């Protein structure tokens, strides 16, 4: 067993290092928890500065997956595979690397089930499918294009924003409320659609100017700079880009009453949840509200249809309400309450 960097008391069940000579594949599979069922979590393909960074990423993401599945009531645990991508990995080597990863996943006999994540594509899942059945998001499947997973993730976040607004702003009605959305990729753009239709005033930022232009044209959004969007005076700040956006530097600069977004691992340090609370900002923990995507995967594994994923995603507000109630009752942060609830569900699962 190995310890997770930020949560030393929370070890992984299994860590697998893979080094396959023919393709040059270097990968780590982290299985955090299988007490409720097989570990679910996609396959991340990106460059890392070091193997230590890749390991820390794999462990942190695997742990979040466990908690996300537990809070969404899914019969799965959490895992993650990270492929350390060399800059020059071309088509044939890439295919060989994913097949090698598929063979390893097959050896794990269903303890870990993989799928799409940052940097991987349905064609990579197809390569793995040649070696293992324990892979989702292959070409033509429910989650293949990422559209449905991103849409359901955004839908859950939107419903959570309404719930948080009901608590902190006195009404779930978003008409005329200002929401600052950071990141207009797959999830952020769907989220702007839900918010725009609800009459929210949008302020948006993305590194990609074309995405900003599109959302401005569609929803009359105002644009902010990428390095100052978090400082926008607004009702809700919705981080939908990278992790770690809530940091020592940004938390004191926030001018919102609610933080609720899709980005994974928003808190650069768990202790920052106290700072948010002290500032009177309601923080909706990411792994409580961004479970729409993993719900799509679970529905796909059960042979279900898209509509079922939508119905299951509609439980996100109830889970958030339970977390907010628990935080109020116990005087803890929403993050601590979500962790306690996840651990309780893991214990009983
Ligand atoms: P994406 O890669 O499609 O979009 C990310 C967007 O953020 C891109 O448009 C990029 O240009 C922009 N961006 C990157 N750095 C930025 C910065 N510093 N400031 C402003 N914009 C920046 O990713 P996707 O799928 O939309 O995911 C967004 C977040 O939600 C990620 O943190 C992801 O881990 C998380 N998430 C995604 C799920 C999904 O179903 N796609 C499920 C659960 C969580």
């Amino acid at each position: 067993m190995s310890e997770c960097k930020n949560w030393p008391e929370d070890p992984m069940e299994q860590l697998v290092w893979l080094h396959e000579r023919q393709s040059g594949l270097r990968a780590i599979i982290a299985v955090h928890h299988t007490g409720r069922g097989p570990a679910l979590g996609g396959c991340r393909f990106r460059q890392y500065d070091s193997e230590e960074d890749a390991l820390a990423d794999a462990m942190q993401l695997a742990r979040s997956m466990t908690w996300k599945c537990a809070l969404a009531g899914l019969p799965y645990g959490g895992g993650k595979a990270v492929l350390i991508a060399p800059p020059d990995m071309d088509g044939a080597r890439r295919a060989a690397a994913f097949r090698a990863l598929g063979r390893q996943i097959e050896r794990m006999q269903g303890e870990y089930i993989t799928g799409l994540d940052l940097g991987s594509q349905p064609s990579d899942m197809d390569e793995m499918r040649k070696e293992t059945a324990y892979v989702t998001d292959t070409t033509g499947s429910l989650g293949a294009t990422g559209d449905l997973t991103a849409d359901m993730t955004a839908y859950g976040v939107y419903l959570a924003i309404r719930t948080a607004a009901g608590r902190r702003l006195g009404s779930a009605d978003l008409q005329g409320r200002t929401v600052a959305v950071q990141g207009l990729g797959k999830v952020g753009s769907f989220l702007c659609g839900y918010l725009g239709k609800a009459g929210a005033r949008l302020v948006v930022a993305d590194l990609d100017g074309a995405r900003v232009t599109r959302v401005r044209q569609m929803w009359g959004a105002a644009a902010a700079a990428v390095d100052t969007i978090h400082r926008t005076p607004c009702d809700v700040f919705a981080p939908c880009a990278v992790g770690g956006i809530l940091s020592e530097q940004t938390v004191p600069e926030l001018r919102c009453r609610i933080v609720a977004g899709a980005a994974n691992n928003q808190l650069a340090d768990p202790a920052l949840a106290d700072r948010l609370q002290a500032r009177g900002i309601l923080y909706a923990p990411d792994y409580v509200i961004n479970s729409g995507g993993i719900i799509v995967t679970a529905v796909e594994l059960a042979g279900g249809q898209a509509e079922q994923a939508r119905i299951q995603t509609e439980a996100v507000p109830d889970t958030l309400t339970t977390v907010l109630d628990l935080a109020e009752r116990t005087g803890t942060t929403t993050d601590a309450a979500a962790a306690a609830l996840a651990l309780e569900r893991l214990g009983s699962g």
Side-chain angles (χ1 to χ4, degrees):
M1 286 197 186
S2 177
E3 290 183 343
C4 188
K5 203 173 173 185
N6 293 337
W7 291 271
E9 74 288 0
D10 194 9
M12 298 287 122
E13 277 183 17
Q14 196 179 156
L15 282 170
V16 179
W17 263 260
L18 207 59
H19 192 178
E20 200 262 338
R21 287 187 185 80
Q22 196 188 351
S23 62
L25 168 70
R26 285 189 305 142
I28 296 168
I29 302 173
V31 173
H32 174 247
H33 197 281
T34 55
R36 289 169 60 91
L40 275 195
C43 174
R44 186 161 280 207
F45 184 69
R46 56 163 286 203
Q47 291 180 37
Y48 288 93
D49 290 339
S50 67
E51 208 157 274
E52 287 70 34
D53 285 356
L55 175 63
D57 205 23
M59 292 201 295
Q60 195 154 323
L61 289 162
R63 173 181 170 280
S64 291
M65 291 305 300
T66 298
W67 290 20
K68 198 182 296 192
C69 286
L71 289 172
L74 302 174
Y76 294 102
K80 207 78 179 182
V82 301
L83 277 79
I84 305 170
D88 57 346
M89 193 172 252
D90 63 8
R93 269 182 69 209
R94 182 172 174 131
F98 276 95
R99 285 190 71 157
L101 183 65
R103 283 194 293 280
Q104 173 55 40
I105 290 171
E106 183 64 20
R107 280 196 286 275
M108 294 168 79
Q109 297 193 327
E111 274 203 319
Y112 168 62
I113 302 173
T114 199
L116 284 177
D117 194 66
L118 193 138
S120 58
Q121 299 159 3
S123 56
D124 300 324
M125 304 303 115
D126 292 346
E127 290 301 328
M128 283 200 275
R129 177 52 64 83
K130 292 174 186 167
E131 305 286 352
T132 183
Y134 304 115
V135 55
T136 61
D137 305 333
T138 51
T139 306
S141 65
L142 205 55
T145 63
D147 279 1
L148 183 63
T149 49
D151 185 6
M152 285 308 103
T153 303
Y155 183 48
V157 170
Y158 161 70
L159 297 175
I161 288 175
R162 285 179 48 89
T163 302
R167 283 291 172 114
R168 184 49 48 95
L169 310 175
S171 165
D173 186 358
L174 298 179
Q175 180 77 38
R177 296 289 185 196
T178 303
V179 184
V181 181
Q182 179 192 45
L184 303 173
K186 295 185 290 294
V187 178
S189 52
F190 276 114
L191 180 62
C192 286
Y194 287 110
L195 293 168
K197 282 181 210 146
R201 275 202 294 259
L202 296 173
V203 182
V204 298
D206 196 290
L207 298 173
D208 182 339
R211 292 181 175 178
V212 175
T213 304
R214 200 173 57 225
V215 174
R216 288 187 73 172
Q217 284 167 351
M218 285 189 76
W219 303 110
V226 289
D227 52 351
T228 58
I229 178 91
H230 66 278
R231 281 192 237 151
T232 303
C234 59
D235 296 297
V236 183
F237 174 48
C240 295
V242 287
I245 174 64
L246 302 173
S247 66
E248 289 285 345
Q249 183 229 315
T250 59
V251 167
E253 295 177 341
L254 293 172
R255 294 172 72 188
C256 58
R257 300 183 65 195
I258 294 165
V259 175
N264 278 313
N265 299 333
Q266 287 168 33
L267 290 171
D269 184 322
L272 287 160
D274 295 303
R275 303 270 294 278
L276 288 165
Q277 190 183 35
R279 290 209 51 210
I281 296 171
L282 188 160
Y283 170 57
D286 45 53
Y287 56 87
V288 178
I289 68 171
N290 71 4
S291 53
I294 201 68
I295 288 171
V296 172
T297 304
V299 167
E300 178 182 335
L301 284 166
Q305 298 302 315
E307 188 49 31
Q308 206 175 323
R310 180 170 289 273
I311 292 166
Q312 278 182 242
T313 301
E314 285 170 356
V316 165
D318 294 340
T319 310
L320 180 60
T321 298
T322 307
V323 166
L324 298 180
D325 288 346
L326 184 61
E328 253 175 46
R329 218 171 42 245
T330 55
T332 56
T333 66
T334 52
D335 196 49
L341 188 65
L343 288 173
E344 185 188 304
R345 290 190 180 176
L346 283 176
S348 62

